[in-house]
Amino acid sequence: VWINLHSSSMSCCDTLHVLPRPIHPDECNDSIERIVNGPLPSGSFSFLFASERTGYHHLYLYTFAPGINSDRAVLIRAVSGGDWMVESIVGVDMDSDAVYVTGTYDSCLERHLYALPLLSSSSASTASSLSAVSYQTDDHQTSVSEPPSHTGGGGMRRQLKNVMNAFSGTKSSVRPSDTMDYMNNSRSSSSLLNNTTMPTIPIRLTTEQGMHGIVMDEECRFFVDTSSDLGRPTTVKVYQLPEGGPFSLTNQSSNGTSRGRKVSRKLVNDQGEIRLQHTLYDASRDDKMMHSFQNHNTISINNTANGINSSGVYEIHHSSSLTSVTERLLPAPELLSFPTTDGTETLHAALYRPDPRVHGPGPYPLICSVYGGPHVQRVNRSWSQCCDMRAQRLRSLGFCVVKCDNRGSSRRGLAFEGAIRRRLGRLEVLDQVAAVRHLVLCGIA
């Protein structure tokens, strides 16, 4: 088995997220397992668990109820699914039935913030009434807003330990035959998921292209978005989410049907529901950098092109913005896609091509900038591509530089990253050769 140690070393919040209240399977009309009859016993709890059982990193909703299902957690539903991956959980708002995640739904070269329904599309309106039933115990009935008792069934901490022991295969107070069955049968669970549920289409909440890093407050009302793109330096912005969560408007526009949620791939921002509160930082308007440019007015470089005087000096005018300057001095690389030599996968590469006004139309001498893996993704839509100073320097000297993410790199799914298992040094080299051949055929190198 290919073990992704990088995923294993993720924080507990990314791999297992305990919810503030237990969820009864009847709260989801598309619940996979309906083996809980009646209310949940005291000591029950629900959690989101991240798994690559389908080949991509996705979230699954479980409920653990002491004494039910042989003390094994019950799989309620797959919260996400498809040929993309969830990278992190940034917030859970049970009142709005929303799970906020970052992932690769739009492109493996980008990272965006998405919203997914925690429960099924038609169950949000009935969740409150079922929750009241779910909290019933033999002694009393817990209100919807009150957290369940953690004293029954050996306590929540002990039960959570039993669940984690079942995932890891270690010993616990639960019978060994029970602790191993559930995760060992993940393949059959995956088949059940594929046959009974359709992947939920996430709502994208970030509008700008590129890589986004998200930090959300505990109440899921605001989030800080640190992002950049090819040709767009880093910005840090604070946004406010709409009242009632991202699904409130889509549910209202659906006129009582679930159609609104299914077609809600349209950005919520386009509907004016997510408001920009503050721009904390914008590197393209960095006062210190612009002050430096305005004081010196010129930047010395070693070649000649438009905007460069006869002395080989690039002239910076007072009206120039930092973005226009960086576009000239640190141009964004071209992103290429081409098949592997065996045609089984698509590879992505970043190409730093010399300025044809200075170095002619090519072909150019080629330099391959190789990491080779495993895991690290080097090609994406971020400002870091423009700030690769070694590649930019070589480009300015007339060399063509290519960076190719071969098989073994991350954010492409388990099959792509695990293709190099037990054969390190073979597929990586073949993929780098494929990049060189592609550039030669295109007349670039």
Side-chain angles (χ1 to χ4, degrees):
V1 177
W2 175 265
I3 301 177
N4 189 340
L5 294 179
H6 295 273
S7 296
S8 301
S9 61
M10 293 169 65
S11 66
C12 182
C13 295
D14 291 330
T15 56
L16 187 144
H17 184 98
V18 179
L19 302 177
R21 69 166 180 85
I23 296 177
H24 196 284
D26 291 343
E27 295 185 51
C28 303
N29 65 351
D30 58 352
S31 176
I32 295 176
E33 298 189 42
R34 295 181 178 273
I35 62 175
V36 180
N37 297 319
L40 294 174
S42 177
S44 301
F45 62 92
S46 297
F47 57 93
L48 292 170
F49 185 74
S51 171
E52 291 182 307
R53 66 187 62 179
T54 62
Y56 291 89
H57 203 252
H58 285 296
L59 299 180
Y60 302 88
L61 175 61
Y62 286 88
T63 291
F64 177 82
I68 295 179
N69 194 31
S70 302
D71 277 335
R72 294 175 295 178
V74 178
L75 175 59
I76 304 298
R77 66 185 298 262
V79 177
S80 61
D83 55 351
W84 63 285
M85 62 179 294
V86 172
E87 295 187 272
S88 67
I89 303 173
V90 297
V92 177
D93 186 356
M94 296 193 68
D95 294 334
S96 300
D97 186 32
V99 180
Y100 298 97
V101 302
T102 58
T104 63
Y105 184 89
D106 285 83
S107 171
C108 64
L109 302 180
E110 302 182 39
R111 178 187 295 116
H112 288 282
L113 172 64
Y114 299 96
L116 291 160
L118 178 64
L119 306 175
S120 56
S121 58
S122 62
S123 63
S125 61
T126 61
S128 59
S129 60
L130 285 170
S131 297
V133 177
S134 301
Y135 292 157
Q136 286 182 350
T137 63
D138 295 335
D139 300 328
H140 67 283
Q141 178 175 334
T142 307
S143 65
V144 175
S145 59
E146 180 182 347
S149 171
H150 293 167
T151 59
M156 180 178 177
R157 289 186 178 181
R158 181 179 300 176
Q159 302 302 340
L160 180 59
K161 181 179 180 180
N162 290 341
V163 172
M164 294 309 298
N165 286 337
F167 287 151
S168 62
T170 58
K171 293 182 179 181
S172 68
S173 58
V174 184
R175 292 173 300 176
S177 60
D178 293 334
T179 58
M180 294 297 294
D181 286 345
Y182 200 81
M183 292 307 294
N184 286 343
N185 291 332
S186 60
R187 183 174 301 177
S188 61
S189 299
S190 301
S191 177
L192 183 61
L193 290 172
N194 295 332
N195 293 334
T196 60
T197 62
M198 290 293 292
T200 302
I201 299 178
I203 295 179
R204 175 175 153 185
L205 304 181
T206 44
T207 58
E208 296 176 299
Q209 280 189 305
M211 298 288 287
H212 295 259
I214 306 297
V215 177
M216 187 172 289
D217 71 312
E218 293 183 356
E219 296 181 355
C220 299
R221 294 296 308 279
F222 300 89
F223 65 89
V224 179
D225 177 17
T226 303
S227 69
S228 68
D229 190 13
L230 296 174
R232 179 172 66 85
T234 301
T235 60
V236 183
K237 301 177 181 180
V238 180
Y239 292 91
Q240 181 179 4
L241 290 166
E243 289 287 343
F247 300 115
S248 58
L249 182 61
T250 58
N251 288 339
Q252 294 172 5
S253 64
S254 62
N255 297 324
T257 68
S258 60
R259 182 175 179 271
R261 183 165 295 178
K262 292 181 180 179
V263 299
S264 59
R265 284 299 341 280
K266 183 179 180 181
L267 303 182
V268 179
N269 306 57
D270 291 348
Q271 303 166 356
E273 289 300 303
I274 292 183
R275 295 192 296 272
L276 174 64
Q277 297 295 306
H278 304 284
T279 299
L280 302 180
Y281 177 73
D282 186 347
S284 65
R285 300 179 181 275
D286 191 297
D287 293 337
K288 294 181 179 179
M289 184 68 71
M290 288 307 300
H291 180 71
S292 175
F293 286 157
Q294 291 174 359
N295 283 343
H296 294 86
N297 290 322
T298 59
I299 297 176
S300 297
I301 57 179
N302 294 326
N303 54 18
T304 58
N306 293 341
I308 303 175
N309 61 26
S310 58
S311 300
V313 176
Y314 181 77
E315 297 179 349
I316 304 297
H317 301 283
H318 288 273
S319 60
S320 300
S321 67
L322 182 58
T323 300
S324 63
V325 172
T326 55
E327 287 177 352
R328 302 294 295 273
L329 298 181
L330 300 174
E334 306 169 41
L335 296 184
L336 308 176
S337 298
F338 47 90
T340 57
T341 53
D342 56 10
T344 59
E345 296 284 357
T346 297
L347 301 176
H348 299 290
L351 176 66
Y352 299 80
R353 193 194 304 233
D355 190 341
R357 297 171 299 180
V358 179
H359 302 283
Y364 309 102
L366 178 65
I367 295 177
C368 295
S369 178
V370 180
Y371 171 71
H375 183 70
V376 175
Q377 181 191 47
R378 302 184 67 209
V379 179
N380 54 39
R381 295 190 62 95
S382 69
W383 175 245
S384 63
Q385 303 296 317
C386 302
C387 294
D388 188 333
M389 295 305 178
R390 176 162 44 183
Q392 294 286 12
R393 175 60 175 166
L394 292 171
R395 178 196 62 81
S396 69
L397 296 176
F399 293 95
C400 183
V401 182
V402 63
K403 296 192 298 187
C404 176
D405 279 337
N406 50 250
R407 279 171 284 187
S409 56
S410 62
R411 308 186 74 238
R412 296 287 302 273
L414 191 59
F416 190 90
E417 186 170 359
I420 60 176
R421 172 179 176 257
R422 292 187 177 180
R423 44 181 173 177
L424 292 173
R426 174 174 171 77
L427 293 180
E428 306 99 303
V429 175
L430 292 177
D431 291 349
Q432 296 296 329
V433 171
V436 174
R437 288 177 175 174
H438 177 76
L439 295 178
V440 171
L441 290 176
C442 293
I444 299 174

